[in-house]
Amino acid sequence: AQMVQLLGAAVGGQMVRAQAARTRVEYEQFFSQKVLRELERDAALLEGRTQEVTLLVGGVQNFARLARRVGPAVACRLVREVLDRLTERIAENGGVIVEYAGAGIAALWNAPARQHDHPLLACGAALAMLSELPDLNGRWQPTLGEPVKLGIGLHTGEAQVGKLGSSQRFKYAAYGPTVDLVGRVHKAAEQLGQAILLTHPTRERLPDTLALRRLGQVRWGAEPLTLHELHGVSASPVWVACRDAYEAALHHFENAEFAATCERLLTLVDLNEPRSQLDTPTIKLLRRAWDCLDTPPEPFDAVLDLRR
């Protein structure tokens, strides 16, 4: 009987250790070593709760077109390399990977462990993701026939977070309206020709030292939302001057001063530049102001409807 008890204890101990090892391997797919140490101290951090988080959704723009051009084998190799690099940059900046979908990735900050500077950490990850493009394009542009472009959306707000799935397979996830919203911001990055877009709730939590530009209000549903471009940690005097001129023109437009809007924006457009070098928000705002100048709308709405 004692021998059976000893054998049972040994087998039980091995099973517990094996399960712990499997759990750690699973966790390492999602969490940094710092978060893992916190989870080892308090496993309850994985339980479901409502939490303010900063969410990031990013990926390769126009991936479907690229995949059709190069075929599935090459497209899969491209996705693996891109997502490997983006995953590393997110992890280095304290993010938790919550989803892979096609050529895209989603991550969050401030859960399961608290991070008081989570909007800034997410922005750091987004800029680090963009820093991968020169090397990626050096390797892939000859094959693809065009450069790889990333579109990234960021939003800060309350979401439901927690461990989802079964005992065999799980993921740490966020869900709720905030998650839907950041997905739309990601799509807007492509529509507006920007690499990184963020919402005003995220902007309010960032230092003024970052190079940011207010692009205006957009609408997907009933309530409009203000979007900002994240240019970088800093910017050249030329970029700052163009940013200031754009924001001044946007202020004129929002006050239905269409001639003043066009006058400001025309100073930013060099018609000798290639189309790919033109600033998409400037062109879009100039077109809207010109149309309003030609046919004054009644009533006037400065919000850009992205449902169209």
Short mmCIF file of all heavy atoms in Angstrom, two decimals, residues 60-106:
data_model
loop_
_atom_site.label_atom_id
_atom_site.label_comp_id
_atom_site.label_asym_id
_atom_site.label_seq_id
_atom_site.Cartn_x
_atom_site.Cartn_y
_atom_site.Cartn_z
N VAL A 60 -0.67 44.09 -43.30
CA VAL A 60 -0.23 44.46 -44.64
C VAL A 60 -1.41 45.04 -45.41
O VAL A 60 -2.47 44.41 -45.51
CB VAL A 60 0.35 43.25 -45.39
CG1 VAL A 60 0.76 43.64 -46.81
CG2 VAL A 60 1.54 42.66 -44.63
N GLN A 61 -1.25 46.24 -45.94
CA GLN A 61 -2.30 46.83 -46.75
C GLN A 61 -2.36 46.16 -48.12
O GLN A 61 -1.34 45.77 -48.69
CB GLN A 61 -2.07 48.34 -46.93
CG GLN A 61 -2.18 49.13 -45.63
CD GLN A 61 -2.09 50.63 -45.85
OE1 GLN A 61 -1.93 51.10 -46.96
NE2 GLN A 61 -2.20 51.38 -44.77
N ASN A 62 -3.58 46.01 -48.63
CA ASN A 62 -3.81 45.42 -49.96
C ASN A 62 -3.20 44.03 -50.10
O ASN A 62 -2.70 43.65 -51.15
CB ASN A 62 -3.25 46.34 -51.06
CG ASN A 62 -3.99 47.65 -51.15
OD1 ASN A 62 -5.20 47.70 -51.00
ND2 ASN A 62 -3.26 48.72 -51.36
N PHE A 63 -3.26 43.25 -49.00
CA PHE A 63 -2.65 41.93 -49.05
C PHE A 63 -3.35 41.01 -50.05
O PHE A 63 -2.69 40.19 -50.72
CB PHE A 63 -2.68 41.28 -47.66
CG PHE A 63 -2.19 39.87 -47.66
CD1 PHE A 63 -0.84 39.60 -47.86
CD2 PHE A 63 -3.06 38.80 -47.49
CE1 PHE A 63 -0.37 38.29 -47.89
CE2 PHE A 63 -2.61 37.50 -47.51
CZ PHE A 63 -1.26 37.25 -47.71
N ALA A 64 -4.67 41.11 -50.17
CA ALA A 64 -5.40 40.23 -51.09
C ALA A 64 -4.88 40.40 -52.52
O ALA A 64 -4.70 39.41 -53.24
CB ALA A 64 -6.89 40.51 -51.01
N ARG A 65 -4.63 41.64 -52.93
CA ARG A 65 -4.11 41.88 -54.27
C ARG A 65 -2.71 41.31 -54.43
O ARG A 65 -2.38 40.68 -55.46
CB ARG A 65 -4.09 43.38 -54.58
CG ARG A 65 -3.79 43.69 -56.03
CD ARG A 65 -3.56 45.16 -56.31
NE ARG A 65 -2.31 45.62 -55.74
CZ ARG A 65 -2.22 46.53 -54.78
NH1 ARG A 65 -3.31 47.03 -54.25
NH2 ARG A 65 -1.05 46.91 -54.32
N LEU A 66 -1.87 41.49 -53.42
CA LEU A 66 -0.52 40.94 -53.47
C LEU A 66 -0.55 39.42 -53.56
O LEU A 66 0.20 38.81 -54.32
CB LEU A 66 0.28 41.37 -52.23
CG LEU A 66 0.63 42.84 -52.11
CD1 LEU A 66 1.30 43.11 -50.76
CD2 LEU A 66 1.56 43.27 -53.24
N ALA A 67 -1.43 38.79 -52.78
CA ALA A 67 -1.51 37.33 -52.77
C ALA A 67 -1.94 36.80 -54.13
O ALA A 67 -1.44 35.76 -54.59
CB ALA A 67 -2.47 36.87 -51.68
N ARG A 68 -2.87 37.48 -54.78
CA ARG A 68 -3.29 37.04 -56.12
C ARG A 68 -2.15 37.13 -57.12
O ARG A 68 -2.02 36.29 -58.01
CB ARG A 68 -4.47 37.89 -56.61
CG ARG A 68 -5.80 37.57 -55.92
CD ARG A 68 -6.97 38.19 -56.67
NE ARG A 68 -6.87 39.64 -56.72
CZ ARG A 68 -7.40 40.45 -55.81
NH1 ARG A 68 -8.05 39.95 -54.76
NH2 ARG A 68 -7.29 41.77 -55.93
N ARG A 69 -1.31 38.14 -56.94
CA ARG A 69 -0.22 38.34 -57.89
C ARG A 69 0.87 37.29 -57.73
O ARG A 69 1.39 36.78 -58.72
CB ARG A 69 0.38 39.74 -57.71
CG ARG A 69 1.57 40.03 -58.62
CD ARG A 69 2.20 41.36 -58.31
NE ARG A 69 1.25 42.45 -58.52
CZ ARG A 69 1.47 43.71 -58.16
NH1 ARG A 69 2.59 44.02 -57.52
NH2 ARG A 69 0.58 44.64 -58.40
N VAL A 70 1.25 36.96 -56.50
CA VAL A 70 2.42 36.09 -56.28
C VAL A 70 2.05 34.65 -55.99
O VAL A 70 2.92 33.77 -55.99
CB VAL A 70 3.30 36.64 -55.13
CG1 VAL A 70 3.78 38.04 -55.46
CG2 VAL A 70 2.54 36.64 -53.80
N GLY A 71 0.79 34.35 -55.70
CA GLY A 71 0.38 32.98 -55.42
C GLY A 71 0.46 32.65 -53.94
O GLY A 71 1.14 33.34 -53.16
N PRO A 72 -0.22 31.56 -53.53
CA PRO A 72 -0.34 31.25 -52.11
C PRO A 72 0.96 30.89 -51.42
O PRO A 72 1.15 31.23 -50.25
CB PRO A 72 -1.32 30.07 -52.08
CG PRO A 72 -1.28 29.50 -53.46
CD PRO A 72 -1.01 30.64 -54.37
N ALA A 73 1.86 30.19 -52.10
CA ALA A 73 3.11 29.77 -51.44
C ALA A 73 3.95 30.98 -51.05
O ALA A 73 4.44 31.08 -49.92
CB ALA A 73 3.90 28.83 -52.36
N VAL A 74 4.14 31.90 -51.99
CA VAL A 74 4.92 33.11 -51.70
C VAL A 74 4.20 33.99 -50.69
O VAL A 74 4.82 34.55 -49.78
CB VAL A 74 5.19 33.89 -53.00
CG1 VAL A 74 5.90 35.21 -52.70
CG2 VAL A 74 6.05 33.05 -53.95
N ALA A 75 2.87 34.09 -50.82
CA ALA A 75 2.10 34.92 -49.90
C ALA A 75 2.23 34.41 -48.47
O ALA A 75 2.36 35.20 -47.53
CB ALA A 75 0.63 34.95 -50.32
N CYS A 76 2.21 33.09 -48.29
CA CYS A 76 2.35 32.53 -46.94
C CYS A 76 3.72 32.81 -46.35
O CYS A 76 3.84 33.12 -45.16
CB CYS A 76 2.07 31.02 -46.97
SG CYS A 76 0.33 30.59 -47.16
N ARG A 77 4.76 32.73 -47.18
CA ARG A 77 6.11 33.04 -46.67
C ARG A 77 6.20 34.51 -46.27
O ARG A 77 6.81 34.84 -45.25
CB ARG A 77 7.16 32.71 -47.73
CG ARG A 77 7.35 31.22 -48.00
CD ARG A 77 8.68 30.94 -48.64
NE ARG A 77 8.86 31.64 -49.91
CZ ARG A 77 8.47 31.16 -51.09
NH1 ARG A 77 7.85 29.99 -51.17
NH2 ARG A 77 8.68 31.85 -52.19
N LEU A 78 5.59 35.39 -47.06
CA LEU A 78 5.58 36.81 -46.73
C LEU A 78 4.88 37.06 -45.41
O LEU A 78 5.40 37.76 -44.53
CB LEU A 78 4.88 37.59 -47.85
CG LEU A 78 4.58 39.07 -47.54
CD1 LEU A 78 5.87 39.87 -47.39
CD2 LEU A 78 3.69 39.68 -48.63
N VAL A 79 3.71 36.45 -45.23
CA VAL A 79 2.95 36.65 -44.00
C VAL A 79 3.73 36.17 -42.79
O VAL A 79 3.76 36.83 -41.75
CB VAL A 79 1.57 35.96 -44.09
CG1 VAL A 79 0.90 35.92 -42.72
CG2 VAL A 79 0.69 36.69 -45.09
N ARG A 80 4.35 34.99 -42.91
CA ARG A 80 5.12 34.47 -41.77
C ARG A 80 6.22 35.43 -41.36
O ARG A 80 6.42 35.70 -40.17
CB ARG A 80 5.69 33.09 -42.10
CG ARG A 80 4.70 31.96 -42.02
CD ARG A 80 5.41 30.62 -41.96
NE ARG A 80 6.22 30.37 -43.15
CZ ARG A 80 5.78 29.77 -44.25
NH1 ARG A 80 4.52 29.40 -44.33
NH2 ARG A 80 6.58 29.57 -45.28
N GLU A 81 6.95 35.93 -42.35
CA GLU A 81 8.06 36.84 -42.00
C GLU A 81 7.54 38.15 -41.43
O GLU A 81 8.07 38.65 -40.43
CB GLU A 81 8.93 37.12 -43.23
CG GLU A 81 10.08 38.06 -42.88
CD GLU A 81 11.12 38.17 -43.97
OE1 GLU A 81 11.10 37.36 -44.92
OE2 GLU A 81 11.97 39.08 -43.87
N VAL A 82 6.50 38.72 -42.04
CA VAL A 82 5.95 39.98 -41.55
C VAL A 82 5.43 39.82 -40.13
O VAL A 82 5.76 40.62 -39.23
CB VAL A 82 4.84 40.50 -42.47
CG1 VAL A 82 4.10 41.67 -41.82
CG2 VAL A 82 5.41 40.92 -43.82
N LEU A 83 4.63 38.79 -39.89
CA LEU A 83 4.04 38.62 -38.56
C LEU A 83 5.08 38.26 -37.51
O LEU A 83 4.94 38.65 -36.35
CB LEU A 83 2.93 37.57 -38.61
CG LEU A 83 1.70 37.96 -39.44
CD1 LEU A 83 0.62 36.89 -39.33
CD2 LEU A 83 1.14 39.31 -39.01
N ASP A 84 6.13 37.53 -37.89
CA ASP A 84 7.23 37.27 -36.95
C ASP A 84 7.83 38.59 -36.48
O ASP A 84 8.05 38.80 -35.28
CB ASP A 84 8.32 36.42 -37.61
CG ASP A 84 8.02 34.94 -37.57
OD1 ASP A 84 7.11 34.54 -36.82
OD2 ASP A 84 8.69 34.17 -38.29
N ARG A 85 8.10 39.47 -37.41
CA ARG A 85 8.73 40.75 -37.07
C ARG A 85 7.78 41.63 -36.25
O ARG A 85 8.20 42.24 -35.25
CB ARG A 85 9.14 41.49 -38.35
CG ARG A 85 10.30 40.84 -39.10
CD ARG A 85 10.50 41.52 -40.44
NE ARG A 85 11.59 40.96 -41.21
CZ ARG A 85 12.72 41.62 -41.54
NH1 ARG A 85 12.88 42.86 -41.13
NH2 ARG A 85 13.65 41.06 -42.27
N LEU A 86 6.52 41.70 -36.65
CA LEU A 86 5.57 42.54 -35.92
C LEU A 86 5.34 42.01 -34.51
O LEU A 86 5.22 42.79 -33.55
CB LEU A 86 4.25 42.62 -36.67
CG LEU A 86 4.29 43.18 -38.09
CD1 LEU A 86 2.88 43.42 -38.61
CD2 LEU A 86 5.13 44.44 -38.18
N THR A 87 5.29 40.69 -34.38
CA THR A 87 5.13 40.08 -33.05
C THR A 87 6.27 40.46 -32.13
O THR A 87 6.06 40.81 -30.96
CB THR A 87 5.03 38.56 -33.18
OG1 THR A 87 3.87 38.22 -33.96
CG2 THR A 87 4.93 37.89 -31.82
N GLU A 88 7.49 40.40 -32.64
CA GLU A 88 8.66 40.74 -31.82
C GLU A 88 8.62 42.20 -31.37
O GLU A 88 8.92 42.52 -30.22
CB GLU A 88 9.94 40.47 -32.61
CG GLU A 88 10.23 38.98 -32.81
CD GLU A 88 11.44 38.76 -33.69
OE1 GLU A 88 12.09 39.77 -34.07
OE2 GLU A 88 11.73 37.59 -34.00
N ARG A 89 8.24 43.09 -32.28
CA ARG A 89 8.20 44.52 -31.92
C ARG A 89 7.11 44.79 -30.88
O ARG A 89 7.30 45.61 -29.98
CB ARG A 89 7.95 45.37 -33.17
CG ARG A 89 8.97 45.21 -34.28
CD ARG A 89 10.36 45.72 -33.90
NE ARG A 89 11.13 44.77 -33.13
CZ ARG A 89 11.76 43.71 -33.64
NH1 ARG A 89 11.67 43.45 -34.93
NH2 ARG A 89 12.47 42.92 -32.86
N ILE A 90 5.98 44.12 -31.00
CA ILE A 90 4.91 44.29 -30.01
C ILE A 90 5.36 43.77 -28.65
O ILE A 90 5.17 44.44 -27.61
CB ILE A 90 3.63 43.57 -30.48
CG1 ILE A 90 3.02 44.34 -31.66
CG2 ILE A 90 2.62 43.45 -29.35
CD1 ILE A 90 1.91 43.59 -32.37
N ALA A 91 5.97 42.58 -28.63
CA ALA A 91 6.42 42.00 -27.36
C ALA A 91 7.48 42.88 -26.70
O ALA A 91 7.46 43.07 -25.48
CB ALA A 91 6.97 40.60 -27.60
N GLU A 92 8.39 43.44 -27.49
CA GLU A 92 9.43 44.31 -26.93
C GLU A 92 8.85 45.55 -26.26
O GLU A 92 9.47 46.11 -25.37
CB GLU A 92 10.40 44.74 -28.04
CG GLU A 92 11.31 43.62 -28.54
CD GLU A 92 12.10 44.03 -29.76
OE1 GLU A 92 11.90 45.16 -30.26
OE2 GLU A 92 12.93 43.22 -30.21
N ASN A 93 7.68 45.94 -26.71
CA ASN A 93 7.03 47.13 -26.14
C ASN A 93 5.90 46.79 -25.18
O ASN A 93 5.02 47.61 -24.93
CB ASN A 93 6.52 48.03 -27.27
CG ASN A 93 7.63 48.77 -27.98
OD1 ASN A 93 8.03 49.85 -27.57
ND2 ASN A 93 8.15 48.17 -29.05
N GLY A 94 5.93 45.56 -24.64
CA GLY A 94 5.03 45.19 -23.56
C GLY A 94 3.64 44.80 -23.96
O GLY A 94 2.75 44.72 -23.11
N GLY A 95 3.40 44.55 -25.26
CA GLY A 95 2.06 44.20 -25.71
C GLY A 95 1.75 42.72 -25.60
O GLY A 95 2.65 41.89 -25.52
N VAL A 96 0.47 42.39 -25.60
CA VAL A 96 -0.01 41.01 -25.56
C VAL A 96 -0.70 40.73 -26.89
O VAL A 96 -1.64 41.44 -27.27
CB VAL A 96 -1.00 40.80 -24.40
CG1 VAL A 96 -1.64 39.41 -24.48
CG2 VAL A 96 -0.31 41.00 -23.06
N ILE A 97 -0.25 39.72 -27.61
CA ILE A 97 -0.87 39.34 -28.88
C ILE A 97 -2.20 38.65 -28.57
O ILE A 97 -2.24 37.69 -27.81
CB ILE A 97 0.03 38.38 -29.67
CG1 ILE A 97 1.44 38.98 -29.85
CG2 ILE A 97 -0.60 38.07 -31.03
CD1 ILE A 97 1.48 40.27 -30.60
N VAL A 98 -3.27 39.13 -29.19
CA VAL A 98 -4.57 38.53 -28.94
C VAL A 98 -5.16 37.87 -30.19
O VAL A 98 -6.11 37.10 -30.08
CB VAL A 98 -5.58 39.55 -28.38
CG1 VAL A 98 -5.16 40.01 -26.99
CG2 VAL A 98 -5.75 40.75 -29.31
N GLU A 99 -4.60 38.15 -31.37
CA GLU A 99 -5.19 37.56 -32.58
C GLU A 99 -4.25 37.69 -33.76
O GLU A 99 -3.52 38.68 -33.88
CB GLU A 99 -6.51 38.28 -32.91
CG GLU A 99 -7.34 37.62 -33.99
CD GLU A 99 -7.93 36.29 -33.54
OE1 GLU A 99 -8.93 36.30 -32.80
OE2 GLU A 99 -7.34 35.25 -33.90
N TYR A 100 -4.25 36.66 -34.60
CA TYR A 100 -3.68 36.73 -35.94
C TYR A 100 -4.82 36.47 -36.91
O TYR A 100 -5.60 35.54 -36.71
CB TYR A 100 -2.60 35.67 -36.16
CG TYR A 100 -1.35 35.85 -35.32
CD1 TYR A 100 -1.11 35.04 -34.23
CD2 TYR A 100 -0.40 36.82 -35.64
CE1 TYR A 100 0.04 35.18 -33.46
CE2 TYR A 100 0.75 36.97 -34.89
CZ TYR A 100 0.96 36.15 -33.79
OH TYR A 100 2.10 36.30 -33.04
N ALA A 101 -4.90 37.26 -37.97
CA ALA A 101 -5.95 37.04 -38.97
C ALA A 101 -5.39 37.42 -40.33
O ALA A 101 -5.13 38.60 -40.59
CB ALA A 101 -7.19 37.87 -38.65
N GLY A 102 -5.18 36.41 -41.18
CA GLY A 102 -4.60 36.69 -42.49
C GLY A 102 -3.23 37.31 -42.36
O GLY A 102 -2.34 36.75 -41.72
N ALA A 103 -3.08 38.50 -42.94
CA ALA A 103 -1.81 39.23 -42.84
C ALA A 103 -1.88 40.30 -41.77
O ALA A 103 -1.15 41.29 -41.82
CB ALA A 103 -1.47 39.86 -44.18
N GLY A 104 -2.76 40.11 -40.78
CA GLY A 104 -2.94 41.11 -39.73
C GLY A 104 -2.69 40.56 -38.35
O GLY A 104 -2.64 39.34 -38.13
N ILE A 105 -2.54 41.49 -37.40
CA ILE A 105 -2.24 41.13 -36.02
C ILE A 105 -2.98 42.10 -35.10
O ILE A 105 -3.17 43.28 -35.45
CB ILE A 105 -0.71 41.20 -35.78
CG1 ILE A 105 -0.32 40.61 -34.43
CG2 ILE A 105 -0.19 42.63 -35.91
CD1 ILE A 105 1.18 40.41 -34.29
N ALA A 106 -3.42 41.61 -33.95
CA ALA A 106 -4.08 42.46 -32.95
C ALA A 106 -3.38 42.26 -31.61
O ALA A 106 -3.00 41.14 -31.26
CB ALA A 106 -5.56 42.11 -32.84
#
